[in-house]
Amino acid sequence: MSRITFENVGKKYGKLWALSGFSACFGSAETVFVIGPNGSGKTTLFNSLLGQIEPTSGKVEFCDEDVTGLSPLELSRRGVGRTFQTLQVFGQLSVRDNLIVAAQEFKGSLARRLFAPPDAGLGAQADAMIERFRLQHVAHLPAGSLSYGQQKLIDIAMAFMPAPRLVLLCDGDLVASAA
């Protein structure tokens, strides 16, 4: 079961607590939204889980394993996907190629990827994601030529490409998770 648990998580910058004593547990198939004004600690909470920052206090567990302070790469390998506040799409690449790039890191060794087919064997998975996110009509277009909303949708689809157990979506004033 994919479950994330925060136990008394806090982050202090100098004398200021950006996040203090946050405890919660979210399980599989839940969608949770963290909403609040600027400066309320949403991004600090998010980054505490994702290894961008190490909490000053508390513990973060994912699937009953302590992941506090692990690097973003290690968390990604354990099945945590994410989006960022700013878009992370490759503007010159097609929508389909953006999806393929998003999952290549998880497709075997570097040597194996160098000698893999041009789509790294991820074409069918990318096509399924294109259909899931209803992007068929723009799949062949450069991502940078699309509207911000379409690019954000591509960004979200990219987070789902490696088939993570938990996806965290961050968009400024809103943080959502879908396990």
Side-chain angles (χ1 to χ4, degrees), residues 2-177:
S2 297
R3 179 175 59 217
I4 181 130
T5 304
F6 297 91
E7 294 179 18
N8 201 29
V9 174
K11 179 62 181 175
K12 190 175 186 179
Y13 294 100
K15 294 182 180 185
L16 176 68
W17 284 94
L19 180 67
S20 178
F22 182 84
S23 296
C25 181
F26 309 114
S28 294
E30 283 190 82
T31 301
V32 178
F33 296 92
V34 179
I35 302 170
N38 290 341
S40 63
K42 301 178 305 292
T43 301
T44 301
L45 172 66
F46 196 71
N47 288 338
S48 294
L49 164 64
L50 295 166
Q52 304 293 334
I53 60 172
E54 188 167 350
T56 305
S57 63
K59 181 165 84 168
V60 180
E61 289 185 353
F62 178 59
C63 297
D64 299 319
E65 181 180 358
D66 187 351
V67 296
T68 311
L70 290 184
S71 72
L73 178 59
E74 189 57 39
L75 288 164
S76 181
R77 288 182 175 152
R78 290 171 194 244
V80 178
R82 75 163 297 173
T83 64
F84 294 84
Q85 288 178 299
T86 57
L87 293 173
Q88 301 292 307
V89 299
F90 300 97
Q92 300 302 316
L93 296 180
S94 71
V95 170
R96 187 175 190 270
D97 287 343
N98 266 276
L99 297 176
I100 290 168
V101 167
Q104 280 183 327
E105 179 180 341
F106 302 94
K107 194 71 172 170
S109 68
L110 177 60
R112 184 173 175 202
R113 288 184 301 214
L114 287 173
F115 298 104
D119 69 359
L122 294 163
Q125 185 180 343
D127 293 339
M129 199 62 62
I130 286 167
E131 188 172 325
R132 180 178 181 187
F133 283 86
R134 298 183 177 141
L135 294 165
Q136 300 93 322
H137 62 292
V138 296
H140 65 286
L141 297 175
S145 70
L146 303 176
S147 71
Y148 176 83
Q150 289 171 314
Q151 288 184 47
K152 192 64 178 174
L153 192 58
I154 295 161
D155 194 38
I156 293 168
M158 289 170 68
F160 280 91
M161 268 301 286
R165 296 187 284 174
L166 172 71
V167 176
L168 296 160
L169 309 171
C170 186
D171 190 356
D173 293 329
L174 173 68
V175 176
S177 71

